[in-house]
């Protein structure tokens, strides 16, 4: 968070008086005052509930007075054209690269009321690109990972409920009603695991009525409504990595007695991709690579008419799909009219065209050992480091997950037909002479023979981070003993996975620049190289020719797993702004990398030096200087066989048992409280009347005149109920010396 000094020159606070500027002997001026500045976005983030700073009771949000005449209000110009979008991204990533400030809005960056600010951004930059030249102004706060997540009490509303909280409650309640009322199967909703603006994760208990077979699942569903393009995108991505041993697999709903839904034909067409979808055939890639296609520039120079015609057809297809979606939206509007006669609306069993009752959700097997993020929490709490043998095992798992994105086992594994069947759908008998490891239904990833590596699929995950790396169980039966002591890691959350195609237009690569989570962007996204690319047009060839800017591929996934390992070793949050290693900056002959501490700080000397250097190489600025999957795979297979002083088999088993298996937190029982109607919540809780600060909240009057309980009974009941508001009030009261 910024302090007062950072705001003195900010035009947003022009005319405000700061505490240090006041003369104690003079009377207070009649101007708005800025007493304390706290990042309001940080405060409002539901993950920080219960972990708020001590300065909160003194927050003052300075009001910004509008002109008297509304006609003279100048709204900031919103980016609409491709050039506007490109320049806005340049401004935002310059803030990311230089200051690492997440919440500085574009208005604050370029000046209040400046409607054409990004158009004056210094673009294109002069001279040759050098990632060493720019200077970072933000201070890197080396923050240890800590569990900031605050789960939503789905049964009890709170004054601090956001729109996301309310939508999560509605979706959770719909989940109970929809799945627990199914005939032939028995579902029980056990716990809301997590939620955000896009989806919910709900733990479900399943028992079939025939054999009473018990199974734990995680249900992923939209956080608002029944349909989600992100969940449908994840379903398509999961089909691409089907059978991969180090990727999460969805559960076929037919195994649960649920009828599969038909294919959803209403998704919008990608406006940035003029090519058709990739074929999903199961044929193996040929042993001989086809001749290289023409580059984008060559096609524009030799086949301009064909390129223009293809763009025109694509734009027409986008417009037609939008019109179709508007018609479907009109049908939804009819469903939402309570007094309307429904004769013109299709019923579910005859709704062949509009599919108005479509519901998007995915079932996964429940991973009881959690994810790497929670393992890092436990490492911080217990002040424990990860043994080298475990680190190498984790590293091999992460490399295999990247292999599954470049060479999906469903197309490259030698024994894939034993798992998925032959081209005509017939299963192939197991025990064929072909090589390849299979455990159950899982195909273990491997690098294909050199003659087939040209056919890599170039899937990029874009969200590889510790929260999306799940910890599985042991595989004690295989003869190689790969996971006999250290559990297997699995990559999850494929909602942002994209197949990156070569020789596309500029807009295609720019649109993927913000894919992923803040703090985890790769140099291909945040690098200063973008500022040196002079674009000709939206569908021009310039970005497709770059070595760094927009050059996404398997090397981008490698950056993601390296940053994840950096967090596991250091137990720190990702560096913001991205930190170039001090030692690396002094040696101009070495490629620039963003791996601080591992090679500079003697604190991490206990970690195997070969692994630390490999991670640093994987976090280099230029993708063509990072190690390849082939080299990393061969190195990791040797690394897991190495022995380190004091790390015996018994020591590793005890460490894994203590930090992973025994550390699982049992599920808390959901309070058995009837869920109030959403309309009642809206009527009883007025968010606009919420006090601005916690100090004001203590003084706020609580109207309990409509209840038959006494004051003491109300207070006692609030203490007994797991209400985050009550806990927060008691904490503030204790701090201020009051009692409630």
């Amino acid at each position: 968070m910024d302090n007062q000094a950072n705001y003195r020159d900010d035009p947003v606070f022009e005319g405000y008086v700061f505490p240090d500027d006041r003369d104690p002997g003079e009377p207070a001026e009649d101007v708005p005052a800025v007493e304390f500045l706290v990042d309001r976005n940080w405060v409002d983030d539901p993950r920080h509930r219960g972990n708020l700073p001590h300065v909160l009771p003194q927050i003052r949000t300075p009001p910004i007075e509008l002109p008297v005449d509304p006609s003279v209000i100048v709204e900031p110009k919103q980016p609409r054209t491709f050039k506007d979008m490109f320049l806005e991204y340049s401004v935002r990533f310059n803030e990311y690269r230089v200051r690492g400030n997440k919440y500085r809005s574009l208005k604050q960056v370029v000046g209040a009321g400046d409607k054409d600010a990004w158009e004056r951004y210094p673009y294109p930059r002069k001279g040759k690109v050098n990632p060493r030249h720019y200077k970072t102004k933000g201070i890197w706060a080396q923050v240890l990972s800590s569990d900031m997540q605050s789960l939503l009490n789905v049964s009890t509303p709170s004054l601090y409920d956001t729109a996301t909280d309310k939508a999560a409650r509605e979706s959770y309640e719909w989940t109970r009603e929809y799945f627990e009322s199914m005939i032939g199967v028995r579902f029980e909703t056990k716990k809301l695991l997590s939620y955000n603006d896009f989806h919910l994760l709900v733990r479900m208990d399943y028992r079939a009525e025939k054999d009473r077979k018990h199974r734990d699942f995680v249900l992923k569903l939209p956080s608002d409504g029944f349909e989600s393009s992100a969940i449908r995108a994840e379903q398509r991505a999961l089909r691409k990595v089907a059978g991969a041993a180090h990727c999460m697999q969805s559960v076929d709903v037919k195994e649960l007695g649920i009828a599969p839904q038909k294919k959803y034909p209403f998704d919008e067409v990608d406006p940035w991709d003029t090519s058709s979808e990739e074929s999903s055939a199961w044929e193996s890639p040929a042993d001989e690579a086809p001749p290289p296609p023409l580059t984008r520039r060559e096609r524009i120079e030799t086949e301009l008419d064909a390129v223009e015609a293809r763009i025109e057809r694509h734009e027409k297809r986008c417009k037609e799909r939008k019109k179709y979606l508007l018609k479907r939206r009109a049908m939804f509007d009819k469903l939402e009219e309570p007094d309307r006669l429904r004769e013109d609306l299709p019923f579910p069993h005859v709704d062949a065209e509009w599919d108005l009752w479509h519901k998007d959700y995915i079932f996964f097997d429940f991973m009881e050992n959690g994810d790497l993020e929670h393992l890092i929490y436990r490492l911080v709490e217990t002040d424990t480091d990860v043994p080298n043998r475990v680190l190498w095992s984790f590293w091999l798992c992460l490399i295999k997950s990247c292999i599954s994105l470049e060479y999906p086992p469903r197309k490259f594994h030698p024994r894939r037909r034993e798992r998925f069947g032959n081209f005509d759908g017939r299963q192939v008998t197991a025990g064929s002479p072909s090589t390849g490891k299979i455990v159950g239904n899982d195909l273990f990833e491997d690098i294909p023979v050199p003659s087939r590596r040209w056919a890599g699929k170039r899937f990029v995950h874009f969200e590889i981070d510790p929260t999306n790396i799940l910890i599985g169980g042991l595989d004690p039966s295989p003869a190689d003993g790969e996971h006999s002591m250290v559990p297997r890691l699995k990559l999850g959350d494929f909602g942002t996975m994209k197949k990156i195609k070569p020789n596309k237009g500029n807009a295609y690569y720019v649109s993927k620049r913000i894919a992923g989570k803040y703090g985890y962007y790769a140099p291909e996204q945040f690098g200063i190289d973008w500022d040196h690319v002079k674009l000709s047009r939206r569908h021009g060839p310039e970005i497709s020719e770059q070595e760094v800017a927009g050059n996404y591929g398997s090397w981008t996934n490698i950056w993601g797993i390296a940053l994840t390992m950096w967090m596991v070793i250091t137990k720190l949050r990702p560096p913001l702004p991205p930190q170039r290693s001090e030692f690396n900056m002094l040696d101009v002959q070495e490629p620039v990398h963003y791996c601080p501490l591992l090679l500079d700080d003697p604190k991490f000397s206990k970690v195997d030096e070969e692994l630390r250097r490999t991670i640093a190489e994987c976090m280099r600025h230029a993708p063509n200087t990072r190690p390849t999957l082939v080299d990393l795979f061969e190195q990791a297979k040797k690394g897991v066989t190495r022995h380190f002083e004091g790390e015996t088999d018994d020591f590793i088993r005890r460490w894994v048992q203590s930090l992973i298996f025994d550390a699982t937190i049992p599920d808390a029982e959901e309070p058995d409280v009837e869920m109030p109607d959403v309309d009642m919540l809206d009527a009883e809780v007025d968010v606009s009347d919420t006090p601005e600060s916690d100090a004001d909240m203590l003084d706020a009057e609580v109207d309990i005149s409509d209840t038959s309980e006494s004051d003491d009974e109300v207070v006692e009941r609030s203490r007994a109920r797991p209400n985050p508001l009550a806990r927060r009030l008691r904490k503030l009261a204790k701090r201020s010396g009051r009692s409630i």
Side-chain angles (χ1 to χ4, degrees):
M1 292 182 290
D2 291 335
N3 56 28
Q4 298 175 16
N6 299 111
Y7 284 87
R8 291 183 179 276
D9 300 328
D10 197 322
V12 173
F13 298 100
E14 183 177 357
Y16 289 87
V17 178
F18 290 82
D20 296 342
D21 299 333
R22 287 193 178 133
D23 186 349
E26 295 182 2
E29 300 180 21
D30 189 17
V31 294
V34 180
E35 296 186 4
F36 294 92
L37 294 175
V38 177
D39 194 326
R40 195 74 229 179
N41 293 280
W42 192 94
V43 173
D44 294 338
D45 194 323
R47 294 173 301 173
H48 303 149
R49 195 173 300 146
N51 298 277
L52 302 176
H54 295 293
V55 75
L56 256 186
Q58 301 167 330
I59 292 177
R60 296 293 186 272
T61 303
I64 299 179
E65 298 180 1
L66 297 176
V68 177
D69 184 3
S71 63
V72 303
I73 299 177
V74 179
E75 293 293 338
K77 179 181 176 183
Q78 297 298 322
R80 297 184 181 276
T81 67
F82 166 69
K83 181 181 178 182
D84 289 345
M85 181 181 71
F86 176 81
L87 291 177
E88 186 202 2
Y89 287 175
S90 298
V91 173
R92 292 181 184 272
F93 276 102
N94 183 66
E95 281 293 304
Y96 179 91
R97 188 171 55 244
V98 174
R99 294 183 178 86
N101 194 331
K102 178 176 182 179
Y103 294 114
R104 281 181 68 89
S105 65
L106 183 61
K107 179 179 178 182
Q108 290 176 316
V109 170
V110 299
D114 192 346
K115 63 178 183 178
D116 301 320
W118 59 79
E119 295 182 359
R120 298 203 320 273
Y121 184 72
Y123 164 82
R125 293 182 184 270
K126 306 288 185 179
K128 189 177 180 181
V129 180
N130 191 332
R132 284 186 169 88
H133 283 173
Y134 75 89
K135 295 182 179 180
T136 57
K137 298 180 180 179
I139 299 177
W140 173 30
Q142 299 183 21
V143 181
L144 288 171
S145 295
S146 59
D147 193 352
M148 304 292 285
Q149 184 177 6
S150 178
L151 293 181
L152 178 69
N153 188 327
V154 293
S155 301
T156 307
S158 168
L159 290 176
Y160 290 93
D161 284 349
T162 63
T164 303
D165 297 338
K166 293 182 180 180
R169 281 200 180 87
E170 292 182 29
S171 297
Y172 185 81
E173 189 64 20
W174 167 81
T175 303
R176 287 178 182 265
E177 296 176 359
Y178 183 77
F179 288 97
E180 293 183 2
S181 62
M182 286 187 172
I183 302 175
V185 295
R186 188 178 76 82
F187 284 104
E188 180 183 355
T189 53
K190 299 185 65 175
K191 185 180 181 181
L192 177 63
L193 298 176
S194 66
Y195 69 101
N196 55 32
D197 291 335
F198 306 103
H199 62 259
L200 275 72
L201 293 179
V202 181
R203 183 175 177 182
M204 308 283 289
D205 180 79
Y206 164 80
R207 294 181 187 273
E209 291 191 352
K210 293 182 179 179
D211 54 8
R212 308 298 295 174
K213 185 178 180 181
H214 169 78
R215 194 172 176 184
D216 271 346
F217 292 107
V218 171
L219 174 65
K220 188 172 187 177
L221 68 157
S223 61
D224 189 7
F226 298 144
E227 299 183 358
S228 169
S229 59
I231 288 184
R232 292 192 296 273
E234 183 166 7
Q235 290 174 328
R236 293 190 293 269
L238 287 167
R239 288 194 288 269
K240 303 293 185 182
V241 296
H246 291 83
C247 292
M248 290 294 295
Q249 302 293 309
S250 61
V251 177
D252 190 348
V253 294
K254 291 185 289 186
E255 298 180 19
L256 310 179
I258 303 175
Q261 300 190 74
K262 62 181 181 181
K263 184 178 179 180
Y264 187 85
F266 307 107
D267 280 318
E268 292 187 9
V269 179
D270 185 353
W272 315 114
D273 186 4
T274 59
S275 60
S276 59
E277 290 293 327
E278 178 203 14
S279 171
S280 59
W282 290 84
E283 70 276 4
S284 301
D287 288 337
E288 185 177 350
L294 295 176
T295 65
R296 183 80 178 178
R297 187 176 296 276
E298 291 171 342
R299 290 182 57 201
I300 291 177
E301 292 175 352
T302 60
E303 305 173 358
L304 181 59
D305 292 340
V307 173
E308 296 288 351
R310 188 170 193 173
I311 294 173
E312 185 177 351
R313 289 194 302 270
H314 178 71
E315 292 177 349
K316 182 180 179 181
R317 186 164 65 248
C318 291
K319 292 179 181 179
E320 291 176 350
R321 178 60 59 87
K322 287 182 179 179
K323 291 181 180 178
Y324 192 72
L325 293 177
L326 288 176
K327 292 181 180 179
R328 187 169 184 264
R329 181 67 259 176
M331 300 298 288
F332 273 114
D333 293 339
K334 294 178 182 179
L335 285 176
E336 295 172 359
E337 298 178 14
D339 300 328
R340 182 182 178 89
L341 296 177
R342 303 297 179 86
E343 289 83 357
D344 58 339
L345 294 177
F347 289 95
H349 62 283
V350 295
D351 184 16
E353 180 180 4
W354 301 109
D355 197 10
L356 300 180
W357 282 265
H358 180 87
K359 298 175 178 62
D360 291 315
Y361 53 83
I362 309 176
F363 278 101
F364 298 97
D365 281 311
F366 176 64
M367 306 290 284
E368 61 181 5
N369 296 319
D371 53 35
L372 281 186
E373 180 83 349
H374 286 83
L375 174 60
I376 297 175
Y377 297 158
R378 294 191 286 271
L379 295 174
V380 173
E381 292 172 355
T382 59
D383 193 20
T384 305
D385 296 324
V386 184
N388 284 296
R389 292 178 64 182
V390 177
L391 288 174
W392 274 109
S393 180
F394 283 177
W395 183 234
L396 179 60
C397 287
L398 295 177
I399 292 171
K400 287 189 174 183
S401 68
C402 290
I403 293 175
S404 68
L405 299 178
E406 187 68 13
Y407 306 107
R410 65 186 280 266
K411 287 204 172 189
F412 288 89
H413 197 279
R415 299 171 60 185
R416 60 192 176 278
R417 295 185 182 89
E418 298 179 22
R419 169 70 166 81
F420 297 104
N422 213 332
F423 298 136
D424 56 4
R426 293 180 291 111
Q427 290 296 121
V428 177
T429 305
S432 58
S434 60
T435 60
K437 179 180 176 181
I438 296 182
V439 176
N441 290 327
D442 295 337
L443 305 176
F444 276 68
E445 302 84 351
D446 203 342
I447 300 291
V449 295
S451 60
R452 296 196 176 192
R453 293 175 190 171
W454 65 268
K457 297 304 177 182
R458 202 172 174 179
F459 290 123
V460 178
H461 190 279
F462 282 117
E463 281 202 32
I464 298 179
D465 65 80
T467 62
N468 292 329
I469 306 295
L470 286 301
I471 304 176
L474 300 176
D475 299 331
S477 56
D480 59 5
E482 180 179 354
H483 292 292
S484 60
M485 289 187 293
V486 182
R488 191 198 315 177
L489 302 184
K490 295 187 178 185
L491 179 62
D493 197 353
F494 293 86
T496 58
M497 189 183 88
K498 305 290 183 183
K499 176 179 173 58
I500 303 301
K501 304 174 184 179
N503 304 316
K504 304 297 294 182
N506 291 327
Y508 176 83
Y509 301 102
V510 173
S511 65
K512 295 166 179 57
R513 191 176 180 186
I514 58 173
K517 294 179 181 176
Y518 194 92
Y520 297 87
Y521 294 125
E524 299 91 291
Q525 297 170 291
F526 72 76
I528 197 174
D529 309 71
W530 286 87
D531 292 355
H532 291 263
V533 182
K534 187 175 181 180
L535 304 183
S536 59
R537 49 180 294 197
R538 171 181 172 182
H539 297 289
E542 289 80 16
I543 298 181
S544 65
E545 301 168 339
Q546 301 302 309
E547 294 183 356
V548 178
N551 186 16
Y552 317 116
S554 61
W555 40 88
T556 309
N557 297 324
I558 289 173
W559 163 277
I561 63 172
L563 180 56
T564 299
M565 287 294 293
W566 183 92
M567 294 179 64
V568 172
I569 295 173
T570 64
K571 296 175 280 190
L572 297 174
R573 290 290 182 186
L576 281 176
Q579 301 292 307
R580 294 155 294 183
S581 173
E582 296 179 3
F583 176 79
N584 176 252
M585 290 288 286
L586 298 176
D587 189 354
V588 295
Q589 302 299 325
E590 284 292 319
V592 173
H593 67 73
Y594 302 88
C595 181
L597 301 181
L598 287 194
L599 301 178
D600 308 336
D601 193 336
K603 174 182 177 181
F604 303 103
S605 59
K606 294 182 180 179
V607 180
D608 184 28
E609 183 179 0
E610 181 182 358
L611 180 59
R612 287 185 286 131
R613 292 195 175 278
T614 300
I615 293 173
E617 292 171 358
C618 293
M619 298 179 70
R620 286 173 174 169
H621 179 81
N624 59 7
T625 62
R626 299 172 198 164
T628 65
L629 282 175
V630 177
D631 295 335
L632 291 174
F633 187 49
E634 293 301 321
Q635 180 196 44
K637 287 192 295 185
K638 297 177 181 178
V640 295
T641 62
R642 295 173 57 187
H643 295 279
F644 299 88
E645 183 180 356
E647 297 185 6
T648 63
D649 290 354
D650 289 339
F651 172 80
I652 297 299
R653 290 191 181 95
R654 290 196 303 269
W655 189 94
V656 171
Q657 186 70 34
S658 173
L659 270 296
I660 297 179
F661 295 149
D662 291 345
T664 304
I665 301 175
D667 293 333
E669 294 292 333
E670 293 288 355
D672 188 15
V673 181
E674 184 178 357
M675 178 66 186
D677 294 335
V678 177
D679 294 337
M680 292 176 59
L681 291 179
D682 292 338
E684 295 175 359
V685 180
D686 187 2
V687 179
S688 63
D689 292 335
T690 303
E692 291 185 354
S693 68
D694 293 342
D696 294 335
M697 189 185 308
L698 291 174
D699 297 327
E701 295 181 359
V702 181
D703 184 7
I704 57 173
S705 57
D706 294 335
T707 179
S708 59
E709 297 174 302
S710 65
D711 294 357
D712 294 338
E713 290 174 338
V714 172
V715 173
E716 193 63 29
R717 179 167 52 83
S718 67
R719 289 175 174 170
R721 178 186 296 174
N723 190 330
L725 173 60
R727 291 197 301 268
R728 189 174 177 189
L729 285 173
R730 289 198 300 274
K731 183 185 293 185
L732 291 171
K734 183 178 180 180
R735 187 187 308 156
S736 60
R738 307 186 190 183
S739 61
I740 63 170

